[in-house]
Amino acid sequence: MRRGRPDTTRRQGETERAGRGREGLEKFPDDAELLFRLGTTQLQQGQAAEAAGTFKRLLILAVAYEGIGDLGAAAQARGMDEEGA
């Protein structure tokens, strides 16, 4: 049985993983793990510009998430619960 070259087989696997990651992001567009994996795969495939965009989105989401956490802490400090303002 003849097998493909290791580098070709590796690239095919990366392409398949990237495709699955994109499918996952269609369902869960703010999933940090999926974004990180996609960005990493893009870098490995030499797609630096695409990876930069993916990592930028990841950073924007991280900042937004941190901001939400700070709002929650501020609400708790003021004695507000989740149901009432």
Side-chain angles (χ1 to χ4, degrees), residues 6 15 30-31 34 38-39 44 48-49 55 58 62 67 72 77 79 83 85:
T15 300
D30 295 339
D31 187 293
L34 291 175
L38 176 60
Q44 291 171 344
F55 288 127
L58 182 60
E83 294 179 20

Side-chain angles (χ1 to χ4, degrees), residues 35-70:
L35 285 166
F36 178 79
R37 288 181 182 202
L38 176 60
T40 301
T41 300
Q42 289 168 326
L43 278 176
Q44 291 171 344
Q45 293 179 341
Q47 300 170 348
E50 291 86 350
T54 300
F55 288 127
K56 180 178 179 181
R57 174 151 173 72
L58 182 60
L59 288 171
I60 289 169
L61 289 171
V63 169
Y65 180 77
E66 286 296 319
I68 290 170
D70 292 342

